[in-house]
Amino acid sequence: VKIVPGILSAEPVLLAPERARRPHAFSGAVADRTDVACPFCPGNEDLTPPSSVEVRKNGAWTARAFPNKYPASQWHEVIVDGPDHNATFDRLNDPRAVLRLYANRYGALMAGGASYVCLFKNHGAMAGASIAHPHSQALGVPFLPPRIRREAQTFRAAASCPLCAAISPHQSRGLVIAETASFVWLAPESSTMAHEQWLVPRRHQHEISALNDEEVHDLAVLLGRSSVRMSEISSSFNWLFMNFPQEPAGHFYVDLFPRRTSVAGFELATGTFIEVIEPLETARAFREGFPGHDR
Ligand SMILES: [Zn+2]
Ligand SMILES: [Zn+2]
């Protein structure tokens, strides 16, 4: 893997040609194929590199992390959410174990020398997943990526935390989907992706590693509820864990959105997004369900 500086953008690019050798790298997910063995199912562990960490119960793993076979950097791991090939996040036996693995691998890869570790989930072909079995990734890079740098700068420059301050106006404008004792699930007013939502811990903290047991519990529940709703309108979604290492002014949050369209020319040309769904509509749909989906 090589880091190539942008000629004009000055933003680094990860050049990882070995990733083109992934099965179906350019043909979408292996999602519906039954003729190939799933490398993430129990019994097929020899198809992946050995685990870096496993959560075990009754002699079997319930979640595991291992180095990516086709890494995009020297700090690239896969986190398999559970043994069940078809279990969605809300159906996992131990979703908290997955979040603890997130925090564990984030800490380990940061300690291993990465400047930033991105924790994210690609679910479904439209979201970039090439394997259907529920999994997440931890991908470290030797620089602070542009979005993280921009947002960290916003937090640092503000007199008080803009995310702490955003909660109450979102409540009063009907943009909150649900609240727990420790988390607020909202449709951000500045949504850039259709049906985007944020999960914001009430307690100001800048990294996943600072979440306490109650927060991990509440986050797991809300991730499950969001993924159920998102699956009502799309088979694909992403969630992104926004950490701000070494920036205590930063406020950790999770950014989630279903994928129904790909990012298009204008967005790629300008970095400006056209949002076509009212955040108020998103908040209502995630509270009440999407039409035609009574749950
Ligand atoms: Zn599987
Ligand atoms: Zn804050």
Side-chain angles (χ1 to χ4, degrees):
V1 177
K2 259 173 49 181
I3 309 286
V4 184
I7 294 173
L8 301 177
S9 73
E11 301 295 359
V13 177
L14 295 177
L15 181 63
E18 54 273 36
R19 283 182 64 73
R21 289 198 282 276
R22 284 178 300 167
H24 317 284
F26 300 108
S27 59
V30 200
D32 301 319
R33 294 191 55 168
T34 48
D35 57 324
V36 283
C38 170
F40 296 171
C41 270
N44 298 340
E45 289 84 355
D46 56 336
L47 297 176
T48 70
S51 298
S52 36
V53 186
E54 285 181 359
V55 180
R56 299 186 71 88
K57 207 174 190 176
N58 304 326
W61 60 263
T62 58
R64 61 184 288 252
F66 50 86
N68 195 304
K69 197 171 175 181
Y70 305 94
S73 83
Q74 60 178 294
W75 307 277
H76 194 175
E77 293 199 4
V78 172
I79 297 160
V80 175
D81 293 359
D84 186 341
H85 188 84
N86 296 306
T88 46
F89 202 81
D90 60 299
R91 302 265 171 85
L92 293 177
N93 287 329
D94 197 0
R96 284 176 290 179
V98 178
L99 297 184
R100 288 195 201 95
L101 262 190
Y102 276 28
N104 177 293
R105 300 328 293 153
Y106 175 84
L109 298 180
M110 289 294 287
S115 299
Y116 188 76
V117 174
C118 183
L119 294 166
F120 62 100
K121 175 186 283 296
N122 300 337
H123 180 89
M126 285 285 290
S130 60
I131 289 175
H133 195 121
H135 66 286
S136 316
Q137 297 179 62
L139 172 49
V141 290
F143 52 84
L144 204 56
R147 174 172 171 183
I148 307 305
R149 206 173 54 231
R150 280 198 305 271
E151 296 191 9
Q153 173 58 29
T154 301
F155 283 117
R156 198 165 43 242
S160 63
C161 174
L163 198 42
C164 285
I167 291 174
S168 153
H170 278 75
Q171 286 166 327
S172 58
R173 290 173 204 157
L175 294 169
V176 167
I177 300 160
E179 304 190 43
T180 68
S182 70
F183 264 85
V184 180
W185 179 17
L186 55 83
E189 212 164 20
S190 62
S191 175
T192 57
M193 301 291 284
H195 296 124
E196 182 173 4
Q197 319 119 65
W198 288 0
L199 296 173
V200 182
R202 293 180 196 276
R203 198 167 59 90
H204 180 100
Q205 52 202 296
H206 63 110
E207 286 177 304
I208 186 176
S209 32
L211 295 181
N212 62 31
D213 287 347
E214 182 193 27
E215 288 160 339
V216 167
H217 170 268
D218 288 5
L219 180 54
V221 168
L222 292 175
L223 288 169
R225 288 176 60 185
S226 174
S227 54
V228 168
R229 279 279 182 261
M230 291 193 287
S231 69
E232 293 177 0
I233 50 163
S234 176
S235 56
S236 299
F237 66 84
N238 294 108
W239 69 46
L240 323 172
F241 278 53
M242 305 299 294
N243 286 286
F244 299 95
Q246 285 152 21
E247 183 46 79
H251 192 139
F252 165 79
Y253 68 102
V254 183
D255 189 1
L256 317 86
F257 37 84
R259 297 296 297 271
R260 290 198 290 174
T261 55
S262 37
V263 175
F266 177 75
E267 285 78 5
L268 294 170
T270 61
T272 297
F273 287 81
I274 303 172
E275 174 58 274
V276 297
I277 306 285
E278 285 273 10
L280 210 51
E281 168 54 29
T282 296
R284 187 171 57 229
F286 276 81
R287 270 195 304 265
E288 298 167 9
F290 286 87
H293 289 271
D294 298 321
R295 287 188 189 231

